[in-house]
Amino acid sequence: MTVPGLKAMKAEGRKIVMLTAYDASFAAQLESAGVDVALVGDSLGMVVQGRSSTLPVTIDDMVYHTAAVARGLSATLLVADLPFMSDRDVPTALDSAARLVAQGGAAMVKIEGAGRVCTVIAALAERDIPVCGHLGLTPQSVNRLGGYKVQGKTEAAAEQLFADAQAVEAAGADLLVLECVPSSLAARITAALSIPVIGIGAGIGCDGQVLVVYDMLGLTPGKRPKFSKDFLAGRDAISAAIAAYADDVREKRFPGPEHSFS
Ligand code: KIV
Ligand code: NA
C-alpha cells in the first residue's frame, strides 16, 4: 500500500482497513490478513505500557515500536504517531518525524490537532513526509478535554471540527483520523475532503476504519469502548479475528449503529 494508493481507494469507494500494531508478530498477522495500513499508535502507552494516558509516551518509545513493527511488514503502509510534545514546534517535529521515518521505517506520521498544528503539518509535507491528521477526540488533549468524550456534539463544535478538517487538508495532510465524533458530522467531513478519512467511533460514513488491536481482540482490561467490537469472540484464532475485521470494514458491516454516536 502507498499514499497514492489510499487516495485511489477513496476515489473508487473502497474502504480502507487500518489497525494498530506494536510489535513484529502482530504486524505480520495484520499483513497476512490484508490490512491496508498499520498504525503504531501512542495508544501503546496505555495498552502495552499500562499507563492511564498517552502523555508519558516518548519519541524513543515510538521509534522502538515502529522499528519492531516495520520488521514484520513488507507491503502494508506503516504510520507512526508523533507522541505528546514531540511535535511542539517545527524544528522538534521535523527531528521527531525524521526519526520515525529513518530509524523506525514509518512511511507516514500522525499528528493530533489543527490550529497552530497546521504550521507543523505544512513543514512536514514540504519535506515530503506524508502526514495523517487526527481530530475529534485527541487523547493527547485529555486534560483540556476533561476526559475521553465524544467531540463535535454542539453546532459550534461541529462547525469548528469541520473547519479544522479542511485546514488540516489544506496544510498538506494526506490522511485524517476522526475519533469519537457523531456519525453524521464524520460523513459530512468525509464527503467534503479529498483526502481519505479514517474513523474510530465516527460511524460507517468514513473512507475507512481503525481500531486498537488489543481492543478488537478483547484483550484490553476494563470496559470495551462502545466504538470497538470483540472480533475474537466466537473465533479460534487471532488471524481469523483480524481477517473478520478487515472483511466487515470492506463489506460495510462494521461499525454498526451500536458502535457509533448520533
Ligand atoms: O494511538 C492510537 O492507537 C490512535 C488510534 C486510536 C487512531 O491514535
Ligand atoms: Na494515537
Side-chain angles (χ1 to χ4, degrees):
M1 182 51 62
T2 61
V3 174
L6 293 178
K7 291 209 172 133
M9 286 182 78
K10 174 165 183 143
E12 293 159 15
R14 289 157 56 211
K15 296 283 185 185
I16 298 164
V17 181
M18 185 167 173
L19 193 56
T20 69
Y22 313 104
D23 67 41
S25 296
F26 269 97
Q29 292 285 330
L30 261 62
E31 179 141 320
S32 323
V35 170
D36 301 303
V37 185
L39 170 67
V40 185
D42 62 354
S43 53
L44 69 84
M46 300 172 83
V47 300
V48 177
Q49 299 175 334
R51 303 181 191 277
S52 58
S53 80
T54 61
L55 302 182
V57 176
T58 66
I59 188 67
D60 287 345
D61 294 338
M62 292 306 302
V63 171
Y64 173 90
H65 285 279
T66 303
V69 168
R71 291 180 204 113
L73 300 179
S74 53
T76 309
L77 190 82
L78 178 52
V79 181
D81 273 356
L82 284 163
F84 181 61
M85 283 295 146
S86 73
D87 51 7
R88 63 183 170 268
D89 51 41
V90 167
T92 310
L94 289 175
D95 286 348
S96 303
R99 289 193 61 197
L100 292 173
V101 172
Q103 296 168 28
M108 180 184 276
V109 299
K110 182 158 76 58
I111 181 166
E112 296 183 8
R116 272 175 290 182
V117 173
C118 289
T119 313
V120 175
I121 295 173
L124 292 164
E126 219 166 89
R127 269 74 174 189
D128 292 331
I129 297 175
V131 179
C132 178
H134 183 159
L135 296 173
L137 171 50
T138 45
Q140 292 174 21
S141 311
V142 62
N143 290 324
R144 179 176 53 79
L145 298 176
Y148 299 99
K149 303 172 191 166
V150 181
Q151 302 297 308
K153 279 170 64 169
T154 66
E155 172 119 28
E159 288 322 305
Q160 183 64 55
L161 199 51
F162 187 85
D164 285 350
Q166 289 185 312
V168 164
E169 170 169 294
D174 292 288
L175 194 64
L176 175 64
V177 165
L178 283 182
E179 179 166 352
C180 290
V181 305
S183 304
S184 56
L185 174 60
R188 206 181 125 218
I189 291 172
T190 303
L193 296 197
S194 64
I195 59 172
V197 175
I198 310 293
I200 175 166
I204 191 73
C206 300
D207 299 308
Q209 300 293 328
V210 61
L211 286 177
V212 169
V213 68
Y214 296 160
D215 288 352
M216 57 77 76
L217 294 174
L219 288 174
T220 311
K223 194 169 158 274
R224 177 176 52 76
K226 171 183 164 79
F227 55 75
S228 192
K229 178 183 166 181
D230 182 354
F231 283 90
L232 188 54
R235 296 190 176 87
D236 59 5
I238 286 173
S239 56
I242 297 175
Y245 163 67
D247 233 49
D248 279 6
V249 170
R250 292 198 176 110
E251 299 304 320
K252 307 179 178 77
R253 288 188 297 256
F254 178 82
E258 70 273 31
H259 310 113
S260 308
F261 305 101
S262 53

